[in-house]
Amino acid sequence: MAMFKLIPCLVLFALFSFDVGVAHPGFGFGWGSNGPNIGRTFSSGLFPQFYQFSCPQADEIVMTVLEKAIARNPRMAASLLRLHFHDCFVQGCDASILLDDSATIRSEKNAGPNKNSIKGFEVIDEIKAKLEQVCPQIVSCADILALAARGSTILSGGPSWELPLGRRDSTTASLNGANTNIPAPNSTIQNLLTMFQRKGLNQEDLVSLSGGHTIGVARCTTFKQRLYNQNGNNQPDETLERSYYYGLRSICPPTGGDNNISPLDLASPARFDNTYFKLILWGKGLLTSDQVLLTGNVGKIVELVKAYADDEGLFFEQFAKSMVNMGNIQPLTGVNGEIRKNCHVIN
């Protein structure tokens, strides 16, 4: 415990005295990262070098597990990115999404946006088990989610970023919050703007984080409405490109098939790139919440979609910044929360 109390002081020393070496050679990032320069001062109380002295192997352990998991199943990268997003949008980035039902917990896993669709828990468990062997009760489950999201992005061909760390784990979960705070796939542009603004995120964050849909898949149930009854008139969404529409109908019939899947980015579903934005411009965004970035006719958002479609580097730079912004949503730090021994249950 005494050592733990020393960590913030040591971290501050590390921040201002030297640059930390790369923890995982070959991927161009470590505690400091060679990603976009987004600065070293974070108002959330988190620090990129938080584990530099208490668990310097943490990042390398995370990446080693991720490499194997994503090699086995490339879709896992998108699942882990989504886990972090769904965690942060409900009472902050506190690993509440990982808690199972118990006498005192109503699990967020049973919420509408998560039930039967959120995945990746076994990878988080493997990372946690390996970290506990080396650094018992040091690295939080909340930070594991953040590290796994960054690692998954990198391993899919996307950007790296300097990741602030030091989150602690919640002792509560919010089933109601998960049902109300996670944007729905049929969201309007105003719904999206409102939900992001409530979390302190701006229009750049909304568009760039939506670009996370450059990897992964969605279930038929999330886009069926667009194909058969978009506006309550038994007609498809007229903004869908015709050939894309007919292709989706073959995957997602009017009745049944709710768990059939389609890639969110049909051109490069396992590669993190800017094709997602190009597809939106061509009327081939899969979810309503994707396509409304263009059809919602909010001037700045439309401009950003076009800019990211034209310049992948610009998209990568903003995505990195926005992931840090999202990761700073209401973290538990200091003496708040706990470091769970098992990510599924409170200590």
Side-chain angles (χ1 to χ4, degrees):
M1 181 62 73
M3 179 61 191
F4 180 78
K5 292 179 179 177
L6 284 173
I7 289 171
C9 295
L10 292 171
V11 167
L12 285 172
F13 172 77
L15 279 170
F16 295 107
S17 62
F18 61 93
D19 287 329
V20 180
V22 173
H24 195 282
F27 288 98
F29 76 97
W31 297 117
S33 169
N34 291 327
N37 181 10
I38 53 176
R40 290 176 176 272
T41 302
F42 302 95
S43 59
S44 60
L46 306 176
F47 302 96
Q49 293 86 358
F50 190 84
Y51 298 112
Q52 179 61 24
F53 300 100
S54 58
C55 193
Q57 315 96 313
D59 205 26
E60 186 170 2
I61 289 170
V62 170
M63 289 302 293
T64 299
V65 174
L66 290 180
E67 287 173 42
K68 295 177 181 177
I70 294 171
R72 288 193 304 267
N73 177 11
R75 284 169 48 191
M76 184 55 65
S79 296
L80 293 170
L81 188 59
R82 187 168 180 245
L83 258 183
H84 184 44
F85 180 91
H86 282 216
D87 180 45
C88 290
F89 264 62
V90 182
Q91 69 179 34
C93 307
D94 60 1
S96 58
I97 195 169
L98 302 178
L99 289 170
D100 290 336
D101 277 325
S102 70
T104 57
I105 299 291
R106 296 180 67 203
S107 178
E108 294 170 16
K109 297 174 185 178
N110 295 320
N114 296 332
K115 193 174 181 65
N116 298 323
S117 68
I118 206 81
K119 302 180 188 303
F121 300 110
E122 70 280 8
V123 178
I124 300 300
D125 291 344
E126 183 179 352
I127 293 170
K128 180 63 171 175
K130 291 186 181 302
L131 286 170
E132 287 297 301
Q133 291 173 3
V134 178
C135 316
Q137 266 194 290
I138 294 293
V139 182
S140 69
C141 301
D143 275 346
I144 291 172
L145 287 173
L147 286 163
R150 180 179 69 171
S152 295
T153 301
I154 294 165
L155 291 170
S156 301
S160 177
W161 56 91
E162 190 176 50
L163 177 60
L165 298 165
R167 300 166 189 80
R168 288 167 65 81
D169 300 324
S170 70
T171 56
T172 63
S174 177
L175 177 62
N176 181 64
N179 277 318
T180 57
N181 290 325
I182 298 171
N186 63 347
S187 294
T188 65
I189 193 63
Q190 288 305 323
N191 291 151
L192 293 172
L193 285 168
T194 298
M195 298 186 90
F196 273 68
Q197 287 167 357
R198 285 175 182 167
K199 301 302 175 185
L201 301 175
N202 61 25
Q203 293 183 10
E204 286 89 349
D205 298 320
L206 166 59
V207 180
S208 63
L209 291 174
S210 295
H213 282 178
T214 182
I215 55 175
V217 300
R219 295 186 301 154
C220 165
T221 187
T222 63
F223 58 87
K224 181 176 286 190
Q225 175 182 328
R226 294 193 73 198
L227 305 181
Y228 303 106
N229 191 25
Q230 176 72 338
N231 297 309
N233 58 359
N234 294 316
Q235 295 297 313
D237 184 345
E238 61 184 16
T239 67
L240 272 168
E241 193 271 336
R242 287 292 98 181
S243 64
Y244 185 50
Y245 161 68
Y246 288 116
L248 290 176
R249 281 179 60 106
S250 69
I251 297 168
C252 186
T255 57
D258 284 357
N259 290 322
N260 295 349
I261 58 173
S262 178
L264 288 154
D265 173 345
L266 65 93
S268 54
R271 180 164 184 80
F272 198 100
D273 56 25
N274 68 333
T275 306
Y276 166 84
F277 296 104
K278 296 176 182 179
L279 291 169
I280 288 175
L281 293 178
W282 300 334
K284 296 180 180 181
L286 180 61
L287 307 178
T288 295
S289 58
D290 296 321
Q291 198 61 44
V292 294
L293 297 178
L294 179 67
T295 60
N297 291 318
V298 175
K300 184 176 181 181
I301 290 178
V302 173
E303 290 173 7
L304 287 167
V305 170
K306 292 178 179 178
Y308 297 157
D310 185 58
D311 187 341
E312 183 173 83
L314 180 65
F315 163 49
F316 278 18
E317 181 178 358
Q318 184 57 54
F319 183 82
K321 293 177 181 178
S322 294
M323 284 296 289
V324 172
N325 293 340
M326 185 182 76
N328 286 346
I329 298 174
Q330 297 177 284
L332 298 172
T333 59
V335 297
N336 297 312
E338 64 181 18
I339 306 298
R340 291 184 211 140
K341 299 175 185 176
N342 177 335
C343 291
H344 293 269
V345 296
I346 60 177
N347 294 340

